[in-house]
Amino acid sequence: MPATIRDVAARARVSVATASRALSGRRRVSDENLRRVIGAAAELSYRPNLVASSLRRQVTNTIGLVIPQISNPFFPTLVESIEWQLQSTTRQLLLCDSRGDPEVEQLRLQALVDRQVDGIMISPCDALRSADAVHTTARQVPLVQIDRRITGDATDWIGVDDEVGMRLVVEHVALAGARTAVFVGSVPTNSSALLRLEAFASESSGFGLKTSEPLLGDFTAAWGIEAARVLLAGRHLPDAVVCGNDLIAIGLLRQFLLAGVRVPDDVLVTGYDDITSAELSAPSLTTVRQPHDAIAFEALRLLTERFDRPDGPYQRISMTPELVVRESTTHIDLLPPNADAFSRASRQ
Amino acid sequence: MPATIRDVAARARVSVATASRALSGRRRVSDENLRRVIGAAAELSYRPNLVASSLRRQVTNTIGLVIPQISNPFFPTLVESIEWQLQSTTRQLLLCDSRGDPEVEQLRLQALVDRQVDGIMISPCDALRSADAVHTTARQVPLVQIDRRITGDATDWIGVDDEVGMRLVVEHVALAGARTAVFVGSVPTNSSALLRLEAFASESSGFGLKTSEPLLGDFTAAWGIEAARVLLAGRHLPDAVVCGNDLIAIGLLRQFLLAGVRVPDDVLVTGYDDITSAELSAPSLTTVRQPHDAIAFEALRLLTERFDRPDGPYQRISMTPELVVRESTTHIDLLPPNADAFSRASRQ
DNA sequence: TGGTTTATGGTAACCGTTTGCCACGATCCG
DNA sequence: CGGATCGTGGCAAACGGTTACCATAAACCA
């Protein structure tokens, strides 16, 4: 049986109160008693029971994180940043994957509240159908939305400014000479999908790009492949294909390559998120980088602020994303020397 | 203030014991009282405080998961499976990322024990340097190693049989006509790295492949790129490059493509794990598939068994992995028709 | 009919910490 | 020197459920 604080107190010949104070440092104890308690704790390999502590202090040092799908490569890097942020505050992460299902999401939120988590970070899977659960939860525990968000403005949010991101992309392909462009994205059930779709529409008209009907599926490479087939079946390709995220773009690139369509020579392709494999695709992918570390940092800051001021005004923080230009929108002669062989090969 | 069970009991005009029994179902109560308690709980929107329950019952319904790096794409799919398994048992997942550092790992294990998790799943980051912490932890709480494991045999383990996996790979490239092969893997500080390296050595001699000194770095695409440069700088390429995981292989493919080396015509390349992007690389990657779902299922089963029999004999379960043959080891003329354009392009 | 078993309700201890409150002695101050 | 202040220690009440144990009444049995 592990030692309890009573055992420590007994061995140190002090009361449990003194032992508790000595160990937690929440009130001074005499040097003599401090020494004895520390010593006793060490001798017994005492480890405080965090569940008991949580119950009494009404603080669990636990944060819940709800994301739509951990296997979407955008999220692992985000999770990594968040987890790292948290551990520096001795908090731990309860991870929930909603599988893109608002009902699962709701259950998970409830479970987190029941567990008395100190705060919740969520990337809601559906802009509308997640709304009720998010609101209900936010009323019970500090909550910050990350990246995706529900429509309406009733909670803190941290993410990137998709409008700016899309403007960077559209401006870039316009400057690269594109006159026509098509958007391949996800059906706008979540905020990322919606905002990027809308931003593409407004920005492309702003930069004088002709667009055709966007192709909307989901945020997967499989949909990118599918979309490429649709585009290839059409009369002629647009100058640029702007994708709603990197997975779609990568699927698309893959299918274009198989079909002999040359990127960027025949068509420019862009992604969004800058997941790890964006750099590794062939050709490498021009995309918009989301600053995970900064997002994680700010998310925790927002949450912490809300601990202190539960009823303070809601904040929305949009970070400015960064355009990462790679081969999928760059003329081959701009590539570094060791790319020569590649360019020859892929140009045939 | 949320309602407590006392509030429910008062409203239902029964004792807290009866309320508790009615709600938990751990002992029968009369129909009348059951009805009243359920009603009162509903009226008050009562939700039991799980922390209090955990303290009393000495069960937290929480499982800790420690992995080396969530941004290594092998792990998210595994985490997804595990999380899904757990939620069906109303348990939740505390996720810890050791960042490949045994000292961080040790701290995380301790933190999980302090939190009184019911069990721990871990993929230890270092075969040797993780050993002490894993052993110490396993003595305190049910623990199962997943995928990677420490040397020695003192805990349950579930993973794939790397020897079989590597045999499938080596056999496959040998049958595809390779006479020489080189292994590009990770410095064998963790068990996966070690077992695959050893298995490659023994299997390739078994199948009569000539091998040269393995190239060892880490399990990243960056190392794959680096390794490709090393290989390209050498006199001539081997017939096959067998990689320790998919990330390495993808980096390697990328660099080969840039350098004009044709895969599979000039050299065969294989990966290991079958991460999502293995299918999307160009060319798509022949690799060894790990059955995440089955691993997650068995991991939970092992843990559950150990709850019941804390001192039962240790089990090691090796699942047989599956070879997934794709373009990186397949002659072009075996590709489907729509790949024609691609093959022309990439062959120059 | 008396004794035993069964069903169900309540009381209060318990899980392991933390902390409000009081006590007591030492120090300080006018 | 008496009273206020400060520093430190301990008692015991929380935190919110769960459950061992006992009580009571009904059912059952010989």
Side-chain angles (χ1 to χ4, degrees):
Chain A
M1 263 320 79
T4 73
I5 200 168
R6 276 166 228 283
D7 301 325
V8 174
R11 181 166 249 264
R13 307 190 160 282
V14 297
S15 70
V16 288
T18 301
S20 175
R21 287 169 184 143
L23 292 167
S24 71
R26 311 180 90 80
R27 223 187 76 177
R28 249 198 75 79
V29 296
S30 66
D31 291 352
E32 167 64 10
N33 279 343
L34 181 61
R35 214 181 39 69
R36 303 229 312 254
V37 171
I38 301 287
E43 285 163 22
L44 296 172
S45 306
Y46 168 73
R47 300 252 92 207
N49 181 322
L50 262 27
V51 174
S53 176
S54 294
L55 176 59
R56 175 63 229 233
R57 302 195 37 224
Q58 304 284 63
V59 167
T60 56
N61 278 307
T62 295
I63 300 288
L65 175 62
V66 185
I67 56 178
Q69 203 187 10
I70 185 69
S71 60
N72 171 340
F74 169 69
F75 290 104
T77 44
L78 187 61
V79 170
E80 188 173 60
S81 299
I82 291 173
E83 202 265 358
W84 188 244
Q85 279 293 326
L86 287 183
Q87 84 108 32
S88 66
T89 66
T90 69
R91 277 184 265 244
Q92 289 231 332
L93 186 66
L94 277 168
L95 181 72
C96 299
D97 188 315
S98 66
R99 307 210 136 196
D101 181 341
E103 303 196 8
V104 174
E105 189 177 60
Q106 177 172 18
L107 291 173
R108 305 325 204 79
L109 283 172
Q110 185 59 255
L112 290 173
V113 172
D114 289 349
R115 266 175 204 283
Q116 320 283 120
V117 294
D118 296 338
I120 291 179
M121 300 183 185
I122 180 173
S123 199
C125 60
D126 193 299
L128 295 174
R129 297 203 294 142
S130 296
D132 279 356
V134 168
H135 281 133
T136 306
T137 307
R139 233 171 283 126
Q140 303 176 69
V141 57
L143 179 150
V144 51
Q145 297 185 85
I146 306 192
D147 185 53
R148 301 186 185 177
R149 62 177 192 247
I150 57 173
T151 54
D153 58 357
T155 89
D156 291 323
W157 174 78
I158 170 75
V160 304
D161 188 327
D162 278 328
E163 193 157 348
V164 171
M166 206 39 88
R167 180 178 314 142
L168 292 171
V169 166
V170 171
E171 179 180 45
H172 172 69
V173 298
L175 286 176
R179 293 277 164 271
T180 61
V182 64
F183 183 76
V184 178
S186 157
V187 172
T189 52
N190 66 66
S191 65
S192 295
L194 180 62
L195 290 171
R196 293 172 194 177
L197 174 62
E198 287 178 345
F200 172 79
S202 65
E203 296 302 329
S204 55
S205 86
F207 283 96
L209 281 180
K210 267 210 202 88
T211 64
S212 44
E213 194 65 19
L215 300 179
L216 301 179
D218 57 24
F219 279 142
T220 64
W223 162 236
I225 290 173
E226 172 78 19
R229 293 216 180 92
V230 173
L231 287 171
L232 290 167
R235 195 74 66 87
H236 37 243
L237 288 176
D239 298 339
V241 180
V242 173
C243 299
N245 78 348
D246 288 347
L247 282 178
I248 295 176
I250 288 170
L252 206 104
L253 284 180
R254 173 88 183 109
Q255 193 61 27
F256 277 178
L257 190 61
L258 282 176
V261 171
R262 298 164 310 172
V263 177
D265 301 69
D266 297 339
V267 55
L268 307 177
V269 173
T270 66
Y272 205 105
D273 288 345
D274 194 24
I275 64 177
T276 314
S277 50
E279 196 177 356
L280 298 167
S281 69
S284 60
L285 186 62
T286 293
T287 186
V288 174
R289 175 173 301 160
Q290 306 225 35
H292 326 96
D293 283 334
I295 290 177
F297 180 84
E298 291 296 318
L300 187 53
R301 192 177 62 74
L302 283 178
L303 219 45
T304 312
E305 280 184 17
R306 194 148 296 283
F307 294 155
D308 302 334
R309 301 199 308 154
D311 298 315
Y314 293 111
Q315 297 184 52
R316 281 194 173 189
I317 303 186
S318 315
M319 317 215 64
T320 303
E322 180 192 354
L323 184 72
V324 182
V325 177
R326 298 208 185 90
E327 293 163 2
S328 70
T329 60
T330 314
H331 283 296
I332 299 294
D333 46 5
L334 296 180
L335 287 181
N338 71 351
D340 281 353
F342 162 72
S343 59
R344 246 181 287 119
S346 72
R347 271 170 171 175
Q348 79 103 321
Chain B
M1 265 320 79
T4 73
I5 201 168
R6 278 167 228 282
D7 301 326
V8 174
R11 183 166 247 264
R13 307 188 161 283
V14 297
S15 70
V16 288
T18 301
S20 175
R21 288 169 184 144
L23 293 167
S24 72
R26 311 182 90 78
R27 223 186 75 179
R28 248 198 75 80
V29 297
S30 66
D31 292 351
E32 168 65 8
N33 279 344
L34 180 62
R35 214 181 40 68
R36 303 225 318 248
V37 171
I38 302 287
E43 286 162 22
L44 297 172
S45 305
Y46 169 73
R47 301 251 90 206
N49 182 322
L50 260 29
V51 174
S53 174
S54 295
L55 176 60
R56 176 61 228 238
R57 303 194 36 225
Q58 305 284 64
V59 168
T60 56
N61 278 306
T62 296
I63 299 287
L65 176 62
V66 185
I67 56 177
Q69 202 187 10
I70 185 70
S71 60
N72 172 339
F74 168 69
F75 291 104
T77 44
L78 186 61
V79 170
E80 189 173 59
S81 299
I82 291 173
E83 203 267 354
W84 188 244
Q85 278 294 325
L86 286 183
Q87 85 109 33
S88 66
T89 65
T90 71
R91 276 183 266 243
Q92 290 230 330
L93 186 66
L94 278 168
L95 181 72
C96 298
D97 187 316
S98 66
R99 308 208 135 199
D101 181 341
E103 303 195 8
V104 173
E105 188 177 63
Q106 178 173 18
L107 292 172
R108 304 323 205 75
L109 284 172
Q110 184 59 255
L112 290 172
V113 172
D114 289 349
R115 266 176 203 283
Q116 321 282 121
V117 294
D118 296 339
I120 291 179
M121 301 184 184
I122 180 173
S123 199
C125 60
D126 193 299
L128 295 174
R129 299 203 293 144
S130 296
D132 278 356
V134 167
H135 280 133
T136 307
T137 308
R139 232 171 281 125
Q140 302 176 70
V141 57
L143 179 150
V144 52
Q145 297 185 85
I146 305 191
D147 185 52
R148 301 185 184 177
R149 63 177 190 246
I150 57 173
T151 54
D153 59 356
T155 91
D156 291 324
W157 174 78
I158 170 75
V160 304
D161 190 324
D162 279 327
E163 195 158 345
V164 171
M166 205 40 87
R167 179 178 314 141
L168 291 170
V169 166
V170 171
E171 179 181 45
H172 172 68
V173 299
L175 286 175
R179 292 277 165 270
T180 62
V182 64
F183 183 76
V184 178
S186 157
V187 172
T189 51
N190 66 66
S191 66
S192 295
L194 180 63
L195 289 170
R196 293 173 195 176
L197 174 62
E198 286 177 345
F200 171 79
S202 65
E203 294 302 328
S204 54
S205 86
F207 283 96
L209 281 180
K210 266 210 203 89
T211 65
S212 43
E213 194 64 19
L215 300 178
L216 301 178
D218 57 25
F219 278 143
T220 65
W223 162 238
I225 290 174
E226 173 78 20
R229 293 215 179 93
V230 173
L231 288 171
L232 290 167
R235 195 74 66 86
H236 36 244
L237 289 175
D239 297 338
V241 180
V242 172
C243 298
N245 79 348
D246 287 347
L247 282 179
I248 295 175
I250 287 170
L252 205 104
L253 283 180
R254 174 87 184 110
Q255 193 60 28
F256 277 176
L257 190 62
L258 282 175
V261 171
R262 298 165 311 173
V263 177
D265 303 69
D266 296 339
V267 54
L268 307 178
V269 174
T270 66
Y272 205 104
D273 288 344
D274 195 25
I275 64 177
T276 314
S277 50
E279 195 176 357
L280 297 167
S281 69
S284 61
L285 186 63
T286 292
T287 186
V288 174
R289 177 173 300 159
Q290 307 224 32
H292 325 95
D293 282 334
I295 291 176
F297 180 83
E298 290 296 317
L300 187 51
R301 192 177 61 74
L302 284 178
L303 220 43
T304 311
E305 279 185 16
R306 194 147 296 283
F307 295 155
D308 303 335
R309 299 199 307 153
D311 299 314
Y314 294 111
Q315 298 184 51
R316 281 193 173 190
I317 304 185
S318 315
M319 317 216 64
T320 303
E322 179 191 355
L323 184 71
V324 182
V325 176
R326 297 209 186 90
E327 293 162 4
S328 71
T329 58
T330 314
H331 283 295
I332 298 298
D333 47 5
L334 295 181
L335 287 179
N338 72 351
D340 281 354
F342 162 72
S343 59
R344 245 182 288 119
S346 73
R347 274 170 167 175
Q348 81 101 327

